[in-house]
Amino acid sequence: MKSLKTSLFAAGILGLALTAAGCSSNHAAGDSAKAKSLTVVFLPGDSAKEAGPARTALAHEISKATGKKVDVKTTTDYNVAIQAISSGKAQLALMGPDSYIQAHKQNAAVAPILTYSGKSGTLKDAQYHSYVMVPKDKASQYKVNGKYSLQKIKGKRMSFVSNTSTSGFAIPAGAIATAFKVSNKDDLQQSGKFFSKVLFGGSHQGSAVNLLKGDADVAAFDDMDLVSYGKFTNDSTKAGADFKVNANAPAPFNSVRGKESIALAAIQFKTNQSLLTQKWSASLTSTKSLNV
């Protein structure tokens, strides 16, 4: 397969990593090397209508780099995306670290090839935030000694994104487990264990809507997937961050326009942390090519 250059991310795609199914692990992946087209699959958060231009731009850049037609596959379920890349039905996937880990477990030929940069064009400032949020009108109930805290969320109704989401489950669940010394993280995703009820929004947007509609008391989601629907009215990097939905926000936020949520915890996640963990890296300012 032709080389896929790092310049394809000049399109400004918001995503954590582009992974590829290797061409030597299984029959399906092997066949993909000879195909005239490539399929790229997106996680639910990147499958939203508002992300359409970004998906189109990425598909265009991949097509230019490979000389192949690119078919875009959107999903409403994390596991569908994971299965698509691990089975070879898709040859490329835009996904986060935890989804990559799950796909790689299913097929060792699934490997990360690119990640996005920060504003500097390097990995130094490539970062985003994962939040544990509550409705603004109830945020004062979660203060301890005058500061927002996780200490009062036990027994509440909790919404995560998916148990294979990095910023929508792994990171916030880790922060909660640390704060409460929970040894079994499985307890955090089962209703009646740590939380009275546990919901999964299926996407970051879905988890946020669960919170703002009143179906959950607490919710986890990231900033990258929400910026198309609202904005932070203060410092978004720490507890107390205030996210407000735009007055003209499209679905699924059209029913919660103008509503606000407050972060009890804001966890910064740097791309190079996942790169080091997975032992892979690529400088997006480099002109070198990476082989798919």
Side-chain angles (χ1 to χ4, degrees), residues 76-92:
T76 57
D77 187 288
Y78 273 66
N79 289 321
V80 171
I82 292 169
Q83 286 292 329
I85 187 67
S86 63
S87 68
K89 290 181 179 179
Q91 291 73 53
L92 296 166

Side-chain angles (χ1 to χ4, degrees), residues 44-177:
D46 296 310
S47 294
K49 179 180 178 181
E50 289 66 39
R55 293 193 299 270
T56 299
L58 177 58
H60 176 69
E61 294 297 331
I62 293 174
S63 181
K64 283 202 307 183
T66 63
K68 296 177 182 289
K69 176 185 175 183
V70 176
D71 296 321
V72 170
K73 179 180 177 61
T74 57
T75 62
T76 57
D77 187 288
Y78 273 66
N79 289 321
V80 171
I82 292 169
Q83 286 292 329
I85 187 67
S86 63
S87 68
K89 290 181 179 179
Q91 291 73 53
L92 296 166
L94 194 67
M95 53 178 48
D98 202 64
S99 296
Y100 156 68
I101 291 171
Q102 297 302 319
H104 183 73
K105 284 181 179 179
Q106 295 178 31
N107 183 350
V110 175
I113 56 173
L114 295 172
T115 189
Y116 73 98
S117 70
K119 292 181 179 180
S120 68
T122 70
L123 293 178
K124 184 177 181 180
D125 57 350
Q127 61 191 35
Y128 67 108
H129 293 83
S130 174
Y131 302 95
V132 177
M133 289 266 193
V134 295
K136 185 175 183 178
D137 60 355
K138 298 180 180 179
S140 61
Q141 301 175 17
Y142 295 87
K143 283 188 173 182
V144 175
N145 297 324
K147 295 182 179 181
Y148 292 111
S149 170
L150 296 174
Q151 292 303 317
K152 295 185 178 182
I153 66 172
K154 187 174 183 178
K156 300 294 185 180
R157 297 172 300 162
M158 179 72 195
S159 177
F160 290 111
V161 173
S162 166
N163 61 7
T164 54
S165 170
T166 304
S167 53
F169 179 74
I171 294 175
I176 295 169

Side-chain angles (χ1 to χ4, degrees), residues 205-248:
Q205 295 93 326
S207 186
V209 170
N210 279 344
L211 176 71
L212 297 173
K213 285 181 66 176
D215 294 332
D217 304 308
V218 188
F221 48 86
D222 69 17
D223 49 7
M224 290 200 309
D225 292 283
L226 274 294
V227 293
S228 295
Y229 307 93
K231 62 182 179 181
F232 286 89
T233 61
N234 58 359
D235 188 348
S236 64
T237 67
K238 59 184 181 181
D242 186 333
F243 179 77
K244 183 176 183 179
V245 179
N246 291 334
N248 62 345

